[in-house]
């Protein structure tokens, strides 16, 4: 099982300069590369300081000039916000810029907040249909001389320009949760990204079962890869573990509020929730978060990851965003590199 880093710029304090966040993201990515991580992932989000990445290709292109070995992934671009010709061309240019290190993650999106602003009237069903139309079109455009007549996009014969460095184009990863998404990804020859959020290891098992079912349903397709994305923090004491449990509880409650899309937003920032408002999210209570995310001292983290490896996950991605300080992120990543990674042979011993 390979390791990767899922990282964004994020802030709740408007006094923190965005340039500082940009530099901190670069520092974490360079640390991951030096440790031998497989990929650094950055996803697309709009009009929210909670997760800052209006076009992940920009940050990834910057990292392409600073790195030489780590793969650079969109985790993810939001399919309905892209024209197939534009996505095929920009992804191919990114692959040229990083000399064939791009992984293209694609998702339908999740926030009604973003749907309202980027494509009013869009819902999750419509977003999923657009994703299913977009992905095959992008692959055909990489091949070239492809005309498209679909439900959402139509264009005459076109070719992605430039062409990707990687033969056949960059690997495509589909963010999947429901069985239909797993089936679409496998049938299309795409890899799969899954996250249980804070639902716990029972959900991890269920996500792998959905993937394995899709693989069994398509014996004609070589088994794609599957990546598990989890909030992961390594600590050096139980006191620190408990403190992070509270911080991540606050993060997930805010995540729930963004998802609900009912609270006012000022300058792209949502006010912190009160204790009473957090109580409306009992599934994100600190003790639940402590149990369900990958959080604890090295031995505990190793045991959790060994279980995921045994289930068949090809890549485990550390979701390092969480409304915590850069210093604490750095400390956790350092502990992971020094004390967790050596337990995984032969890649990291």
């Amino acid at each position: 099982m390979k390791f990767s880093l899922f990282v964004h710029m994020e802030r709740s304090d408007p006094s923190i300069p965005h340039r500082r966040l940009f530099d901190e993201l670069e520092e974490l990515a360079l640390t991951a590369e030096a440790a031998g991580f497989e990929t650094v992932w950055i996803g697309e989000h709009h009009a929210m300081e909670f997760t800052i990445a209006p076009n992940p290709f920009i940050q990834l292109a910057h990292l392409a000039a600073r790195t030489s070995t780590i793969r650079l992934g969109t985790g993810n671009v939001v399919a309905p916000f892209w024209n197939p010709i534009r996505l095929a061309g920009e992804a191919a240019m990114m692959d040229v810029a990083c000399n064939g290190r791009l992984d293209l993650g694609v998702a339908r999106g999740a926030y009604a907040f973003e749907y309202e602003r980027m494509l009013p009237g869009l819902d999750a069903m419509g977003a999923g249909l657009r994703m299913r139309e977009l992905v095959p079109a992008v692959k055909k455009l990489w091949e070239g001389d492809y005309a498209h007549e679909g439900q959402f996009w139509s264009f005459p014969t076109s070719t992605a320009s430039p062409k990707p460095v990687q033969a056949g184009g960059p690997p495509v990863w589909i963010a999947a949760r429901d069985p239909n998404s797993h089936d679409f990804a496998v049938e299309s020859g795409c890899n799969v990204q899954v996250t249980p959020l804070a639902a716990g290891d029972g959900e991890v098992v269920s996500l792998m079962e959905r993937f394995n079912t899709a693989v069994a349903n398509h014996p004609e397709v070589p088994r794609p890869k599957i990546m598990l994305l989890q909030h992961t923090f390594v600590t050096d004491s139980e006191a620190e573990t408990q403190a992070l449990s509270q911080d991540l509880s606050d993060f997930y409650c805010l995540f729930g509020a963004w998802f609900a899309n009912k609270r006012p937003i000022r300058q792209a920032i949502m006010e912190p929730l009160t204790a009473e408002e957090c109580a409306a999210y009992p599934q994100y209570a600190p003790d639940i978060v402590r149990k369900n995310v990958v959080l604890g001292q090295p031995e505990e983290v190793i045991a959790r990851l060994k279980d995921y490896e045994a289930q068949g996950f090809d890549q485990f991605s550390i979701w390092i965003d969480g409304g915590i300080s850069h210093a604490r992120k750095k400390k956790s990543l350092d502990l992971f590199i020094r004390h967790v990674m050596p337990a995984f042979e032969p890649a990291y011993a």
Side-chain angles (χ1 to χ4, degrees):
M1 187 172 69
K2 301 294 183 66
F3 295 117
S4 63
L5 183 68
F6 191 89
V7 60
H8 289 93
M9 297 162 56
E10 56 172 347
R11 72 173 187 172
S12 57
D13 179 356
S15 70
I16 298 174
H18 286 108
R19 180 65 216 193
R20 179 177 129 189
L21 300 177
F22 195 91
D23 291 340
E24 290 172 351
L25 182 147
E26 178 185 326
E27 181 181 9
L28 293 171
L30 292 177
T31 299
E33 179 180 56
F37 276 47
E38 177 90 351
T39 311
V40 59
W41 300 93
I42 301 174
E44 175 183 359
H45 290 286
H46 297 276
M48 53 171 65
E49 299 276 272
F50 185 65
T51 312
I52 307 166
N55 184 338
F57 289 127
I58 295 174
Q59 289 146 301
L60 294 175
H62 173 80
L63 292 176
R66 299 292 193 273
T67 61
S68 59
T69 58
I70 197 167
R71 296 189 63 81
L72 305 168
T74 60
N76 300 272
V77 295
V78 182
F81 302 159
W82 290 81
N83 176 285
I85 296 174
R86 180 182 167 212
L87 181 56
E90 291 198 24
M93 183 64 84
M94 178 66 220
D95 202 47
V96 171
C98 68
N99 195 25
R101 290 186 282 139
L102 177 67
D103 281 54
L104 182 66
V106 184
R108 72 178 188 182
Y111 290 105
F113 175 87
E114 291 182 305
Y115 290 165
E116 287 178 352
R117 286 154 179 80
M118 300 296 291
L119 202 61
L122 182 68
D123 59 15
M125 178 64 73
L129 292 173
R130 284 169 170 81
M131 182 182 73
R132 285 163 171 74
E133 183 175 331
L134 179 90
V135 169
V138 166
K139 289 188 170 188
K140 290 291 187 181
L141 285 162
W142 287 336
E143 295 176 8
D145 290 336
Y146 169 68
H148 184 78
E149 190 70 34
Q151 181 179 357
F152 302 106
W153 298 281
S154 298
F155 49 83
T157 300
S158 303
T159 299
S161 180
K163 288 288 189 72
V165 169
Q166 297 175 83
V172 178
W173 298 71
I174 302 296
R177 179 171 293 277
D178 65 84
N180 290 333
S181 296
H182 284 266
D183 194 77
F184 166 75
V186 173
E187 184 180 24
S188 303
C190 298
N191 298 322
V192 173
Q193 300 172 333
V194 297
T195 179
L197 297 173
D201 283 353
E203 178 69 4
V204 174
V205 171
S206 178
L207 289 165
M208 178 55 85
E209 288 174 347
R210 292 169 220 173
F211 173 74
N212 285 333
T213 297
V215 170
N217 287 340
H218 296 283
E220 75 284 1
V221 179
R223 181 189 183 276
K225 295 179 180 178
I226 180 170
M227 180 189 90
L228 175 62
L229 169 64
Q230 272 271 55
H231 267 116
T232 304
F233 292 93
V234 186
T235 67
D236 56 14
S237 68
E238 182 58 29
E240 186 178 29
T241 299
Q242 293 300 325
L244 274 169
S245 298
Q246 181 62 62
D247 291 341
L248 291 171
S249 171
D250 293 342
F251 175 89
Y252 269 107
C253 289
L254 196 61
F255 169 85
W258 274 103
F259 198 80
N261 193 31
K262 295 178 180 178
R263 286 171 59 83
I265 311 296
R266 177 176 169 78
Q267 293 295 315
I269 294 175
M270 181 181 288
E271 289 294 320
L273 276 66
T274 65
E276 291 74 18
E277 288 170 321
C278 285
Y281 296 98
Q283 70 272 34
Y284 300 142
D287 61 324
I288 301 297
V289 170
R290 167 71 178 90
K291 175 184 175 183
N292 286 352
V293 306
V294 181
L295 173 61
Q297 295 178 62
E299 296 77 11
E300 181 178 354
V301 172
I302 289 168
R304 291 283 290 278
L305 299 190
K306 287 290 185 181
D307 179 62
Y308 302 151
E309 185 176 49
Q311 289 183 46
F313 286 100
D314 301 285
Q315 186 179 131
F316 180 84
S317 193
I318 295 173
W319 184 3
I320 206 165
D321 306 327
I324 65 173
S325 70
H326 179 63
R328 185 171 268 180
K329 292 177 185 180
K330 284 176 57 180
K331 177 181 177 181
S332 175
L333 187 58
D334 175 68
L335 290 169
F336 185 92
I337 291 166
R338 289 193 293 115
H339 299 297
V340 175
M341 290 179 72
F344 291 82
E345 297 180 334
Y348 302 111

